[in-house]
Amino acid sequence: MEQTFIMIKPDGVQRGLVGEIIGRFEKKGFYLKGLKLITVDQSFAEKHYADLSAKPFFNGLVEYIISGPVVAMIWEGKNVVTTGRKIIGATNPAESAPGTIRGDFAIDIGRNVIHGSDAVESARKEIALWFPESPVNWQSSVHPWIYE
Ligand code: ADP
């Protein structure tokens, strides 16, 4: 089954949106396979956003991500990478549809509350970076009530 890496950014933690965000993924039917509250340092944040290192907003982005604790998560389910991105909404909250996390809870692109992997391959890399320890192996007992 597919997995994705989801991170509630420091603004989401500060604003008390952790429960709301976890609830959206849980209620959809995805399975929580990893979870931790963690503060990362500059070199770790730069590694996570290495693909964006040439962007003019890179330094500000790194400052934002290291400015407070984040909630790092692994979520699992069918098409969870693509569907997770739909639940999150467009990068710029000004363009995120109402009903999406960014559409409902964010205003500015540099304070957009949440990160989600953009592809299966980047999800694999991000999970390896953020969860070097072995993930807990558990199966949900409601699986047949969600999947046909
Ligand atoms: P996404 O997070 O939707 O995958 P990107 O990978 O393009 O989007 O960008 C990573 C993060 O960098 C965004 O979520 C946002 O926090 C920040 N960002 C992207 N574009 C800008 C910008 N033009 N100005 C400021 N921050 C930006």
Side-chain angles (χ1 to χ4, degrees):
M1 190 118 57
E2 193 170 291
Q3 292 189 333
T4 193
F5 173 69
I6 300 290
M7 171 191 35
I8 304 174
K9 295 176 176 177
D11 49 335
V13 174
Q14 292 287 347
R15 292 174 57 198
L17 296 173
V18 173
E20 169 74 33
I21 289 170
I22 289 176
R24 290 188 179 206
F25 281 85
E26 269 187 331
K27 281 177 240 167
K28 173 70 174 170
F30 291 135
Y31 304 136
L32 183 62
K33 292 293 175 110
L35 172 76
K36 60 185 174 188
L37 180 75
I38 178 174
T39 306
V40 297
D41 64 17
Q42 185 173 336
S43 70
F44 189 95
E46 287 174 354
K47 206 181 278 182
H48 172 75
Y49 279 122
D51 291 351
L52 299 175
S53 60
K55 299 283 185 190
F57 57 82
F58 181 70
N59 290 342
L61 174 59
V62 168
E63 284 299 310
Y64 163 44
I65 294 306
I66 68 175
S67 66
V70 300
V71 173
M73 296 177 280
I74 302 169
W75 285 92
E76 185 176 280
K78 191 176 180 179
N79 294 325
V80 69
V81 171
T82 301
T83 304
R85 296 273 295 186
K86 287 182 185 160
I87 291 171
I88 288 170
T91 303
N92 187 346
E95 287 152 22
S96 317
T100 66
I101 291 166
R102 288 168 175 164
D104 288 350
F105 302 119
I107 302 281
D108 271 348
I109 193 166
R111 296 288 183 272
N112 63 358
V113 173
I114 184 167
H115 164 85
S117 308
D118 63 2
V120 172
E121 181 54 23
S122 46
R124 195 190 56 71
K125 278 192 208 155
E126 290 170 2
I127 288 168
L129 176 67
W130 287 80
F131 289 92
E133 66 274 18
S134 304
V136 174
N137 187 17
W138 72 284
Q139 304 302 325
S140 168
S141 58
V142 301
H143 190 81
W145 297 103
I146 299 171
Y147 289 85
E148 60 180 10

